Amino acid sequence: GENGTGKELVARWLHAKSNRAAAPFVEVNCAAIPSELIESELFGHERGAFTSAIKQRRGKFEQADGGTLFMDEIGDMSLAAQAKGSDKDIDVDVRVIAATNKNLREEIRKGNFREDLYHRIGVVVVRVPALREHAQDIPLLVDHFIRTICAEYHIPAKRIEDEALAELQTMPWSGNIREL
């Protein structure tokens, strides 16, 4: 899905509605981690493995054991990072949910994404539509956001005029629900 469509919310909902709900939900933003650190972040490291490794650290896969590992923006992970792996076996039971705003098949064609990794993560593809594709939901979303924000500030809920809601439904919303 595009940026701002709620991919993380979908991942959290899938986790919460699963038999793994009582176990950890661990998120990793693949775009924010430099390729030289991704291996340590995902798989952990032993004390002394590199200069700043002053103690042993469990990786995200171990942290998510029994639960869900949400790999956000996996399409922005470098090719070098996509090929990383642990050099020791660690038993974990993890559901992996990966999200991206990129067309991974196109990225494979361009040589920017590993096809073998795509086949590992693309078992069930869930497309999160852009807000402009379901503009009829805007009044419900606006009502939800108004109620949430007004409750947070302890003020009475505001009402949006029908004309304003109709205008909101005609906007392009390039930032999707995040922009709304």
Side-chain angles (χ1 to χ4, degrees):
E2 295 177 11
N3 285 327
T5 55
K7 296 180 295 290
E8 180 183 347
L9 291 175
V10 170
R12 287 183 181 280
W13 183 86
L14 289 169
H15 174 75
K17 298 298 180 185
S18 75
N19 60 355
R20 296 174 180 266
F25 178 91
V26 177
E27 181 179 356
V28 59
N29 184 333
C30 299
I33 302 169
S35 61
E36 60 272 8
L37 297 179
I38 194 79
E39 188 172 13
S40 174
E41 189 70 22
L42 293 176
F43 305 111
H45 59 258
E46 299 294 324
R47 181 176 184 253
F50 48 89
T51 305
S52 60
I54 57 173
K55 63 179 183 175
Q56 181 184 21
R57 181 164 181 256
R58 291 175 52 217
K60 298 292 187 184
F61 276 95
E62 280 185 272
Q63 293 171 30
D65 190 24
T68 302
L69 176 63
F70 176 56
M71 300 181 74
D72 197 13
E73 300 305 345
I74 198 165
D76 291 325
M77 186 185 289
S78 72
L79 276 173
Q82 292 174 35
K84 298 286 186 182
S86 178
D87 59 355
K88 68 176 186 171
D89 291 341
I90 300 172
D91 287 333
V92 292
D93 175 11
V94 176
R95 170 194 292 124
V96 174
I97 299 177
T100 185
N101 61 0
K102 295 184 175 184
N103 178 332
L104 292 183
R105 292 236 181 246
E106 180 65 21
E107 293 300 308
I108 291 167
R109 192 187 66 70
K110 292 179 186 175
N112 297 331
F113 200 82
R114 293 175 54 106
E115 189 170 18
D116 61 328
L117 178 57
Y118 176 80
H119 291 301
R120 287 183 175 95
I121 64 171
V123 177
V124 176
V125 177
V126 177
R127 184 180 166 278
V128 183
L131 183 56
R132 64 186 166 278
E133 295 177 45
H134 58 107
Q136 71 278 6
D137 293 340
I138 289 175
L140 293 170
L141 291 165
V142 167
D143 182 63
H144 168 75
F145 293 140
I146 287 174
R147 288 183 186 281
T148 301
I149 293 167
C150 289
E152 184 178 317
Y153 286 96
H154 307 289
I155 59 175
K158 307 290 184 186
R159 184 182 181 294
I160 301 292
E161 297 293 328
D162 291 341
E163 298 81 19
L165 286 172
E167 184 65 27
L168 290 174
Q169 289 177 286
T170 67
M171 295 178 65
W173 300 111
S174 61
N176 292 292
I177 295 172
R178 184 178 296 137
E179 181 183 4
L180 174 66

